[in-house]
Amino acid sequence: MGMGSKMEGPSTPAIRRDPYEVLSVSRDSTDQEIKTAYRKLALKYHPDKNASNPEASELFKEVAYSYSILSDPEKRRQYDSAGFEALDADSMDMEIDLSNLGTVNTVFAALFSKLGVPIKTTISANVLEEALNGTVTIRPLPIGTSVSGKVDKQSAHFFSVTINEQQAESGIVVRVTSTAQSKFKLLYFEQDVNGGYGLALQEDSEKAGKVTSAGMYFLHFQVYRMDSTVNALAMAKDPEGAFFKRLEGLQPCEVSELKPGTHIFAVYGDNFFKTASYTIEAVCAKSYEDTTQKLKDIEAQILRKRNELRQFEAEYRKALARYQEVTDRYTQEKQSVDELLKQRDGIHSSFTIVKPTNINGSGSNLSNGSSSKISGEESPGEDGGSDGKDKSGKKKWFNLNLRGSDKRLV
């Protein structure tokens, strides 16, 4: 699983290498270790910082491609079991760096997004670097309050959320919504050893009814997020089977609790052209105990349903193949029956002594020998009757007076 074949696409490396080797992580690395390694390398090779170094751009693509495999549990499992070949059929989705995309490609990406095609985007290297250097402006977001604002595309607004021990024990929820249905990312940063902030978590906004929203739930149990870009291309290729992939985007969140202290969150503008409108709020789960339990229960049900759908898909595919088989046979059998009955009708019509006549002729034919006149028989009044008798001796009432009149005229 070292060198691989070339692949197409602007965000795909020219040659594929083992993603574990690219990110310098072991095969048993945790999700967090993989994410940390990716962010360091992505920041190191980002095109914004290496405009005059084309080699760095290729390395950045390779790092992003490798992370797109190892950050997805299903793709990682497929790669571990069968290498790149197991992934080729799915035409894996890549992340797009809008700050380095160009105007024309940005227009196309915006169009596809408008049509409902989920497109992954990366965070601008400038934002990540400013956070890492600790040079960002941070506004306080007290628990139980909300802040509304507008953030420019590929920019971020930073907020600090300070929680005490009781609040940390009860659980914390940070949510962002947009009634304008803007695209954005909710980011969570951890304190770096150098005093800056390193990106630890990110949630992309999803459409939910008439708004877009994203949330992080630190509730002391495993919470899941829905990534709509998972298997997006595979779903587009097979719309009928897309239903079975809907729950595959449910991915476990890496962090399930926060410690007492101050935590840094940010709202990142992910619109293609305009600013993103948003409202961010932080709440303590103490006042939402029933809602917390409902979330835990419903996600457990969704996970069970996902396993059921995986089994049902195999049954469905088998039944669908059988259905196609029997419908094809139905068409063949129908054609066969129609042809047999047509031949039978033709055989029936052969039992006749009457030749078909012109439809414009004056005569008519009766089948089964029930003709009113047999061929060769003469009608009354014609000479040469078959019995030799003079049929003219039989006087007709309409001839009596006429004959008498003839004699008188002579």
Side-chain angles (χ1 to χ4, degrees), residues 4-17 54 57-69 84 87-88 91-97 101 233:
S5 60
K6 292 184 178 181
M7 293 185 63
E8 299 177 355
S11 296
T12 306
I15 296 178
R16 294 179 293 182
R17 291 193 298 144
S57 178
E58 289 302 317
L59 290 171
F60 178 78
K61 292 178 183 178
E62 188 177 44
V63 167
Y65 177 75
S66 299
Y67 181 67
S68 71
I69 297 174
F84 289 116
L87 304 170
D88 288 340
S91 298
M92 292 174 30
D93 312 316
M94 297 298 298
E95 292 187 346
I96 296 175
D97 179 15
L101 196 58
L233 292 181

Side-chain angles (χ1 to χ4, degrees), residues 126-327:
N126 292 333
V127 171
L128 295 178
E129 189 170 18
E130 288 176 2
L132 205 56
N133 294 334
T135 58
V136 294
T137 301
I138 301 175
R139 289 181 286 179
L141 177 64
I143 292 292
T145 65
S146 65
V147 175
S148 298
K150 291 184 177 181
V151 58
D152 291 335
K153 60 185 179 70
Q154 288 87 61
S155 299
H157 288 173
F158 287 78
F159 298 90
S160 62
V161 177
T162 302
I163 58 176
N164 56 36
E165 290 187 6
Q166 184 180 3
Q167 292 169 334
E169 208 173 294
S170 299
I172 299 296
V173 174
V174 177
R175 293 184 71 248
V176 181
T177 57
S178 173
T179 55
Q181 298 187 5
S182 298
K183 285 173 59 65
F184 58 85
K185 298 178 188 292
L186 173 60
L187 311 178
Y188 171 64
F189 291 83
E190 292 179 339
Q191 187 81 34
D192 190 83
V193 291
N194 298 321
Y197 306 101
L199 182 63
L201 297 174
Q202 75 175 57
E203 295 292 336
D204 288 47
S205 60
E206 297 278 352
K207 190 172 181 181
K210 296 182 178 181
V211 303
T212 49
S213 66
M216 293 184 180
Y217 304 84
F218 307 96
L219 302 172
H220 299 280
F221 60 83
Q222 183 62 71
V223 178
Y224 294 81
R225 59 186 177 86
M226 182 61 76
D227 185 356
S228 62
T229 62
V230 172
N231 297 318
L233 292 181
M235 292 168 65
K237 290 180 180 179
D238 182 17
E240 189 171 301
F243 164 72
F244 295 101
K245 305 297 182 184
R246 285 183 63 185
L247 300 183
E248 293 301 326
L250 199 69
Q251 305 292 331
C253 296
E254 293 87 343
V255 181
S256 60
E257 61 182 76
L258 294 179
K259 295 179 180 179
T262 299
H263 300 272
I264 306 301
F265 295 85
V267 180
Y268 179 82
D270 209 22
N271 278 339
F272 289 98
F273 297 108
K274 58 183 181 180
T275 60
S277 302
Y278 68 89
T279 297
I280 182 172
E281 57 184 334
V283 299
C284 177
K286 178 68 175 178
S287 305
Y288 300 88
E289 291 182 353
D290 291 343
T291 305
T292 299
Q293 186 59 45
K294 287 179 180 179
L295 175 63
K296 188 175 184 179
D297 294 342
I298 197 65
E299 289 194 338
Q301 293 180 42
I302 292 174
L303 289 174
R304 288 195 296 269
K305 180 59 67 177
R306 182 171 66 179
N307 291 331
E308 292 173 7
L309 284 180
R310 288 171 177 171
Q311 298 176 1
F312 176 55
E313 182 178 10
E315 298 175 17
Y316 173 80
R317 297 291 185 186
K318 185 177 180 180
L320 190 63
R322 176 59 180 160
Y323 172 77
Q324 187 62 50
E325 180 183 334
V326 296
T327 51

Side-chain angles (χ1 to χ4, degrees), residues 333-348:
E333 296 290 3
K334 184 178 183 299
Q335 292 173 348
S336 176
V337 168
D338 290 344
E339 180 61 28
L340 291 172
L341 292 177
K342 182 179 179 181
Q343 293 179 23
R344 178 176 178 271
D345 290 342
I347 294 172
H348 279 175

Side-chain angles (χ1 to χ4, degrees), residues 111-124:
L111 176 60
F112 281 113
S113 179
K114 194 71 175 178
L115 292 174
V117 179
I119 297 177
K120 283 186 176 182
T121 55
T122 61
I123 301 170
S124 168

